[in-house]
Amino acid sequence: MKLSKEEAESILSSLNFRHEMGTIIAVLQDSETKEVLMVGNMNKEAVMNTLTTGLVHFWSLSRKSLWLKGETSGNLQLLQDFKIDCDGDAILVLVKSQGPVCHTGNRTCFYRDSSSLNLTSSLS
Amino acid sequence: MKLSKEEAESILSSLNFRHEMGTIIAVLQDSETKEVLMVGNMNKEAVMNTLTTGLVHFWSLSRKSLWLKGETSGNLQLLQDFKIDCDGDAILVLVKSQGPVCHTGNRTCFYRDSSSLNLTSSLS
């Protein structure tokens, strides 16, 4: 999915960039498997680039720079659809992955689950 | 799912509360439908309470207070499982909802999709 600049600007105007360094929270979800892949921050430029190029961009809080996801690894994340939350400070980005999202090589950054965290007495 | 205080402390020690006001980002996902329900922040106390009571708690950045999700609406969110991301600053919380998550009455806070945002020329 790609939007025109005008459409993207309309979306931008409905967002509340209230998080760190003028960002919203972006949650990446695999559009087919519904697996949550990662969480990052997007500033206005990252949202604009994501919507108009169809490739997920983030704002890196640590590096303080715009970041095309997969620029070095080649694992681009293709925008399929998106949803905005009730107060406009978070966006759910539905993607088709061209490769693992996580720098560890895992398909998702959320690969550490309760069974891998050495919990012995968890009760259901 | 409920953890012991010792287990919860072990989880806490693997988290990096680097976001606003000493928080991590928490993504709520329906454990059955895989629908992403909402995004919020959790400080150490909110994570500890969530893990040891089995009921989702957040730290409200705007109200600057601990918040049992559903305390007033009755729509408690029951912890089924959780996953931690690679750098420990986000947690994926799998829940069973006792009612709509969103204050608008919608099942999910992400109820505004591209078709409801008056986009006319979006291309797939």
Side-chain angles (χ1 to χ4, degrees):
Chain A
M1 169 189 264
K2 278 187 203 178
L3 301 187
S4 68
K5 190 157 178 278
E6 291 68 32
E7 288 174 322
E9 278 169 354
S10 159
I11 301 297
L12 275 176
S13 70
S14 68
L15 295 174
N16 179 9
F17 291 84
R18 76 175 183 111
H19 288 287
E20 298 112 305
M21 302 176 74
T23 62
I24 57 171
I25 306 297
V27 179
L28 255 58
Q29 185 177 30
D30 187 295
S31 62
E32 288 181 10
T33 66
K34 305 302 178 200
E35 190 171 31
V36 173
L37 302 174
M38 70 169 282
V39 173
N41 290 68
M42 288 184 180
N43 64 359
K44 286 183 182 176
E45 192 181 2
V47 173
M48 176 58 84
N49 284 18
T50 298
L51 296 178
T52 58
T53 68
L55 301 173
V56 172
H57 290 66
F58 289 105
W59 175 258
S60 168
L61 296 177
S62 52
R63 296 196 302 271
K64 298 182 178 53
S65 63
L66 189 70
W67 165 37
L68 166 61
K69 181 67 187 165
E71 187 169 19
T72 50
S73 68
N75 299 331
L76 299 169
Q77 304 298 314
L78 311 182
L79 177 68
Q80 302 299 299
D81 203 352
F82 66 91
K83 300 181 183 186
I84 294 175
D85 79 344
C86 52
D87 60 359
D89 69 345
I91 186 169
L92 179 64
V93 185
L94 296 157
V95 297
K96 184 170 180 174
S97 288
Q98 290 205 317
V101 160
C102 190
H103 72 286
T104 59
N106 285 282
R107 199 173 61 246
T108 167
C109 292
F110 292 96
Y111 60 89
R112 293 189 284 172
D113 61 15
S114 52
S115 64
S116 71
L117 290 162
N118 295 318
L119 304 175
T120 52
S121 68
S122 55
L123 305 167
S124 285
Chain B
M1 169 190 264
K2 279 188 202 176
L3 301 187
S4 68
K5 189 158 177 280
E6 291 69 30
E7 286 174 324
E9 279 169 352
S10 160
I11 301 297
L12 275 177
S13 70
S14 69
L15 295 174
N16 179 8
F17 291 85
R18 77 175 181 110
H19 288 288
E20 299 111 304
M21 303 176 73
T23 62
I24 57 172
I25 306 297
V27 178
L28 255 57
Q29 184 178 30
D30 188 295
S31 60
E32 288 181 11
T33 66
K34 306 301 180 199
E35 190 170 32
V36 174
L37 302 174
M38 70 170 282
V39 173
N41 290 67
M42 290 185 181
N43 65 359
K44 287 184 183 177
E45 193 181 2
V47 174
M48 175 60 84
N49 285 18
T50 298
L51 297 178
T52 59
T53 69
L55 301 173
V56 172
H57 290 67
F58 289 105
W59 175 259
S60 168
L61 296 177
S62 52
R63 296 196 301 270
K64 298 181 177 56
S65 63
L66 189 70
W67 166 35
L68 166 61
K69 181 68 187 162
E71 187 169 18
T72 50
S73 67
N75 299 332
L76 299 169
Q77 303 299 315
L78 312 182
L79 176 67
Q80 303 298 299
D81 203 352
F82 66 92
K83 299 180 183 186
I84 294 174
D85 80 345
C86 53
D87 60 359
D89 69 346
I91 186 169
L92 178 64
V93 185
L94 296 157
V95 298
K96 185 170 180 172
S97 289
Q98 290 205 318
V101 160
C102 190
H103 73 286
T104 58
N106 285 283
R107 200 172 60 245
T108 167
C109 291
F110 292 96
Y111 60 89
R112 292 190 284 171
D113 61 16
S114 53
S115 64
S116 72
L117 287 162
N118 296 320
L119 304 175
T120 51
S121 66
S122 55
L123 304 169
S124 283

